[in-house]
Amino acid sequence: MTDPLHPPHPSASEARHVVFVTWKAGNAPAFEAAKRLGHHVTLIRSLLMEQAQNIDFDASPYARFVDRVHVLKDATDPAALRSCVLEVHRERPVDGFVATVDALVVPVARIAEEIGVPFTDATAAETAKQKDRCRQVLAAAGVDTTRYAVVAGFEEAAAFAAAGGYPVVVKPARGSGSEGAHVVADEEQLAGVLAGAPEGAYAAGILVEEYLSGRFVSAEIGLVHGRFLRLAVSERSTWHRHEALETGTTIPAGVSAEEHDRVMRFAEEVVGAVGLRLGVFHVEAMLGADGTPRLIELNPRIMGSCLPNLFRLAGGGDIFELLVRIHLNEAVERGPTSFDGYATVRWFGAADPVATPERVPDLDWAAERYGDSVHSFTVRFPEGDTLLPCRGNLGNFGEVQVVHPDRATSIRIAQDIVAGTAERLGFEVTR
């Protein structure tokens, strides 16, 4: 009798079966990449996630590359997801999973281990998402010794800060998208941050960390068959009024060859110490004045939002094809990425509470002024009479992507467009 959890795999001559567990607009091009490679594509949708992101699968130009669709109300429901995956696996054996949403990596990893499909290690992915556990593992391995503590409330947080000095970073022990993260300058601000936190924001504990200064960068690396693939070092910007809020990225980063190598070696050490064994990973770090990288955050999935598209726009190639091949556990031979330009994104939202504008301002001026350097420029206000202050990635209502052969010019154009938009809106935005 055939074991339903381990059905026989198709022969090498047949199309392989790639299962995407949920989707985002920024990563939908991976469907096309999988089809271009000749594979059968299944998508497990999550209606609650799609509603939260205001995306419509049926309207996506990439929907036509999906062969089979399964719809769940909430893919983060472990029992519902497992039942769906097992049904998919019985219908056609799964050769590889792709999960690009933070909340799904660990559940998919557990199911993949259960049915014997290569994927990111479940225990390691859980460690990466549990920020204090990740720091504990890295400290034990001698990779990163950033001071941290998980505390239950203000008194313990204040004691940690008093021992090492302000500023400190406060964030949820589990979380993503910069939601609930703050750089705290003194005890009064610490008390205000914790007292004003939304209910449940720190349900998994309050992580207090040593403040790191320097240049904020990220390393994008692949790992398959024990071989690291160095994809890119990106540079990231933050908002001066709320330093934990990321406002943009430029690919590739303006770092020296030596700094690039140092960041990549650090990212490889982080991924190796945690035990992530397969995937494309996003490692955020602070490159100190002494040239030493220190970990900000390890994400056991590909970089999010529009960043994979920035990689392509900068001349790095099709990272989605690489993503699919890695998650099919193929042996990939690839040298370091060679870019021929610089791609910059800037995101922005309301700096302070403000009435929602009745309409989106004219956006054509940006392309008229900067020509083909403007790849895309969108503004979409959320529903409601008031724009809430943007203090996390989910609060952005605008995005501009710029491509230019010169790094400084790419960044300047993106900044100018955000400033011009704020002027036309008549209120300050995050930038």
Side-chain angles (χ1 to χ4, degrees):
M1 176 180 291
T2 300
D3 181 349
L5 294 184
H6 300 86
H9 282 261
S11 67
S13 62
E14 295 178 291
R16 304 186 75 190
H17 186 193
V18 184
V19 176
F20 291 84
V21 183
T22 74
W23 72 291
K24 298 187 291 185
N27 289 330
F31 304 154
E32 187 274 333
K35 286 305 295 180
R36 185 176 357 108
L37 291 168
H39 302 311
H40 183 88
V41 178
T42 293
L43 170 65
I44 298 175
R45 295 174 56 189
S46 178
L47 295 182
L48 288 181
M49 283 189 177
E50 292 175 17
Q51 290 166 5
Q53 298 176 64
N54 194 26
I55 54 178
D56 181 356
F57 176 73
D58 294 326
S60 169
Y62 296 99
R64 63 191 179 94
F65 298 108
V66 178
D67 298 295
R68 184 82 162 86
V69 176
H70 293 256
V71 180
L72 296 178
K73 180 180 180 181
D74 181 9
T76 64
D77 178 339
L81 178 62
R82 180 180 180 276
S83 177
C84 182
V85 170
L86 295 186
E87 178 186 347
V88 169
H89 193 51
R90 282 191 294 266
E91 290 180 359
R92 185 180 184 118
V94 178
D95 294 288
F97 290 102
V98 178
T100 59
V101 176
D102 283 315
L104 273 302
V105 176
V106 173
V108 171
R110 289 175 177 151
I111 298 169
E113 288 183 2
E114 179 182 355
I115 63 178
V117 175
F119 192 68
T120 305
D121 182 83
T123 300
E126 176 70 20
T127 295
K129 297 309 299 174
Q130 189 174 334
K131 295 180 174 64
D132 59 313
R133 171 61 181 159
C134 184
R135 291 223 177 270
Q136 181 183 27
V137 168
L138 296 181
V143 173
D144 190 288
T145 57
T146 300
R147 292 180 59 251
Y148 73 95
V150 176
V151 302
F154 168 73
E155 290 187 4
E156 293 174 83
F160 175 91
Y166 288 93
V168 294
V169 178
V170 174
K171 62 177 74 169
R174 291 173 181 262
S176 60
S178 301
E179 300 293 332
H182 299 267
V183 175
V184 177
D186 52 38
E187 188 170 294
E188 181 181 358
Q189 186 181 5
L190 176 64
V193 164
L194 297 183
E199 184 177 356
Y202 300 110
I206 305 165
L207 179 62
V208 191
E209 297 177 334
E210 171 188 351
Y211 174 78
L212 303 177
S213 61
R215 284 179 290 170
F216 184 14
V217 298
S218 64
E220 321 304 335
I221 60 172
L223 176 59
V224 64
H225 289 282
R227 176 184 173 87
F228 282 108
L229 306 174
R230 295 184 171 186
L231 304 179
V233 173
S234 311
E235 61 183 292
R236 311 174 76 81
S237 63
T238 59
W239 187 36
H240 70 283
R241 280 181 51 186
H242 184 65
E243 199 175 338
L245 177 65
E246 296 178 34
T247 57
T249 298
T250 296
I251 300 178
V255 295
S256 69
E258 181 182 354
E259 290 168 333
H260 180 279
D261 182 65
R262 195 175 295 135
V263 170
M264 283 296 189
R265 279 190 284 110
F266 174 73
E268 292 169 359
E269 291 173 356
V270 168
V271 169
V274 172
L276 297 170
R277 66 186 178 205
L278 176 71
V280 178
F281 307 119
H282 176 66
V283 185
E284 298 182 0
M286 189 68 73
L287 187 59
D290 63 353
T292 301
R294 307 277 292 279
L295 184 72
I296 293 178
E297 187 171 271
L298 168 61
N299 293 279
R301 44 85 179 156
I302 193 172
M303 52 187 163
S305 185
C306 65
L307 301 191
N309 188 51
L310 287 194
F311 181 90
R312 180 185 63 82
L313 291 172
D318 188 346
I319 198 170
F320 291 117
E321 182 173 312
L322 187 65
L323 176 72
V324 171
R325 293 186 61 199
I326 287 175
H327 279 283
L328 285 171
N329 202 30
E330 295 183 11
V332 179
E333 294 295 329
R334 188 183 194 279
T337 307
S338 178
F339 294 98
D340 57 17
Y342 294 87
T344 297
V345 63
R346 285 293 182 269
W347 303 292
F348 53 94
D352 303 292
V354 64
T356 303
E358 294 182 1
R359 64 184 65 83
V360 171
D362 171 60
L363 306 180
D364 293 339
W365 66 272
E368 292 171 358
R369 181 175 299 177
Y370 299 108
D372 293 341
S373 294
V374 181
H375 174 72
S376 68
F377 181 25
T378 57
V379 171
R380 177 186 293 179
F381 300 123
E383 294 183 3
D385 296 331
T386 302
L387 294 177
L388 299 178
C390 177
R391 298 297 183 267
N393 295 352
L394 299 179
N396 294 312
F397 61 71
E399 175 188 287
V400 57
Q401 297 179 35
V402 173
V403 186
H404 199 277
D406 179 71
R407 168 184 166 272
T409 303
S410 177
I411 294 171
R412 178 184 58 77
I413 291 174
Q415 292 173 333
D416 287 351
I417 291 173
V418 175
T421 304
E423 183 178 343
R424 286 163 173 79
L425 288 171
F427 57 83
E428 185 57 277
V429 300
T430 57
R431 47 173 153 159

